[in-house]
């Protein structure tokens, strides 16, 4: 038997470890794409336990937010940020969770800080797009909830940040979704038909995001496309039956569509 050189073994192990960690994360995403939600969560948690780095903290935080538990996602993201305070994708996960639990001013501040910092870093375009889209949502919340002065301050920035997000990453489902909702609900210059088309595109880009699908069904119903809305509702119920938050959020639409035309 040939001798085994320990330096070669150490190198092989060092190279193999990241691959195994990546494989475990990809397995978690595969389960998510199959809408095996409980198994996916377990896989994300196991991946983080095996490799507690910024990417794994962000992945679990995003998963928890995606499945309607932004407060749990925020706890994970902030724990990760305490260890990796300079990681931009993890900061984006934190900002998204902050906004989704209603702390939109804190989320806005974090997005603005990271966008300013990105002028001196090599932040990926996809992450910059995400900061822009989260910022648009924060500004929209502020315009709606903080009074007339906030409405004038932020109203015109919302669309601009959505457009910047789409320019940075044309395949970013949430940015396409934001554009769709803007078209569908804008009282000035909006186009419901164009909005629905964008929501359908966003849903194709990310069929795991139940929030996108929920608003697609709502806008189809609003436009009077009841048969299409019911068809999408049936698909929604199949895909997201394992998510308590999704089941809760879809109930008003189920009642509305169940009454007939």
């Amino acid at each position: 038997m040939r001798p085994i050189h320990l330096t070669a073994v150490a190198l092989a192990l060092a190279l193999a470890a990241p691959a195994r960690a990546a494989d475990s994360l990809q397995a978690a995403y595969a389960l998510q794409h199959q809408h095996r939600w409980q198994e996916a969560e377990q896989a994300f948690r196991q991946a983080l336990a095996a490799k507690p780095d910024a990417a794994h903290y962000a992945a679990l935080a995003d998963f928890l937010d995606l499945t309607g538990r932004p407060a749990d996602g925020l706890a994970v993201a902030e724990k990760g940020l305490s260890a990796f305070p300079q990681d931009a994708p993890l900061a984006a996960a934190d900002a998204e969770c902050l906004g989704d639990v209603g702390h939109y001013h804190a989320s806005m501040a974090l997005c603005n800080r990271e966008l300013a910092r990105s002028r001196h870093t090599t932040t990926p375009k996809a992450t910059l797009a995400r900061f822009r889209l989260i910022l648009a949502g924060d500004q929209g919340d502020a315009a709606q909830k903080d009074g007339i002065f906030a409405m004038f301050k932020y109203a015109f920035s919302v669309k601009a940040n959505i457009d910047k997000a789409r320019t940075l990453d044309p395949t970013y489902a949430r940015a396409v979704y934001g554009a769709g909702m803007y078209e569908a609900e804008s009282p000035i210059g909006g186009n419901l038909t164009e909005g629905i088309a964008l929501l359908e595109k966003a849903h194709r880009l990310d069929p795991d995001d139940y929030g996108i699908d929920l608003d697609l069904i709502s806008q189809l119903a609003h436009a009077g496309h009841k048969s299409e809305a019911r068809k999408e509702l049936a698909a929604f119920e199949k895909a997201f039956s394992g998510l308590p938050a999704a089941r809760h959020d879809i109930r008003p639409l189920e009642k509305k569509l169940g009454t007939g035309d």
Side-chain angles (χ1 to χ4, degrees):
M1 182 178 291
R2 289 175 296 173
I4 298 175
H5 298 288
L6 294 180
T7 53
V9 172
L11 179 60
L13 289 173
L15 293 173
R20 287 197 299 272
D23 288 346
S24 65
L25 203 55
Q26 289 307 310
Y29 282 118
L31 290 165
Q32 174 185 304
H33 298 330
Q34 295 167 32
H35 298 160
R36 293 160 63 181
W37 302 107
Q38 292 182 345
E39 294 170 76
E41 180 176 346
Q42 183 179 15
F44 278 113
R45 290 188 182 278
Q46 289 173 343
L48 175 59
K51 187 173 173 50
D53 64 3
H56 286 70
Y57 273 109
L60 178 57
D62 283 337
F63 177 83
L64 293 169
D65 188 52
L66 177 73
T67 55
R69 289 170 292 167
D72 293 339
L74 180 61
V76 171
E78 296 203 333
K79 182 178 179 181
L81 274 180
S82 68
F84 305 100
Q86 301 302 311
D87 189 80
L90 183 53
D94 189 58
E96 185 127 39
C97 291
L98 278 168
D100 287 344
V101 298
H103 300 324
Y104 51 90
H105 284 293
S107 176
M108 195 186 306
L110 179 54
C111 288
N112 281 323
R113 186 195 78 191
E114 289 295 321
L115 287 168
R117 194 168 70 88
S118 72
R119 301 188 190 107
H120 310 289
T121 63
T122 55
T123 305
K125 284 187 176 181
T127 303
L128 293 175
R130 189 174 181 190
F131 282 125
R132 286 289 178 186
L133 195 278
I134 297 167
L135 185 58
D138 296 333
Q139 291 170 335
D141 284 343
Q144 282 190 324
K145 300 173 183 178
D146 291 358
I148 189 73
F149 293 109
M151 183 179 70
F152 283 110
K153 180 178 180 180
Y154 294 118
F156 296 103
S157 299
V158 173
K159 179 68 161 54
N161 277 309
I162 292 171
D163 290 344
K164 287 176 183 177
R166 292 185 70 192
T167 299
L168 285 162
D169 185 359
T171 66
Y172 180 24
R174 275 265 153 183
V176 177
Y177 160 78
M181 290 302 292
Y182 191 92
E183 287 289 344
E185 297 195 337
S186 177
I188 301 174
N191 184 315
L192 181 55
T193 300
E194 176 64 17
I196 289 172
L198 287 166
L199 291 174
E200 289 173 334
K201 179 179 179 180
H203 180 48
R204 290 193 298 271
L205 286 168
D206 189 357
D208 300 342
D209 190 326
Y210 87 81
I212 292 175
D213 203 9
L214 184 74
D215 280 323
L216 170 59
I217 297 166
S218 178
Q219 295 301 330
L220 285 168
H222 178 62
H225 304 317
K226 295 291 183 68
S227 61
E228 292 93 332
R230 290 190 181 108
K231 181 178 178 181
E232 192 58 46
L233 174 61
F236 181 102
E237 290 172 336
K238 181 178 180 181
F240 303 111
S241 61
L243 289 182
R247 292 200 307 270
H248 174 272
D249 292 347
I250 199 66
R251 281 174 195 151
L253 277 172
E254 287 175 327
K255 292 177 181 178
K256 181 177 180 180
L257 292 170
T259 60
D261 291 321

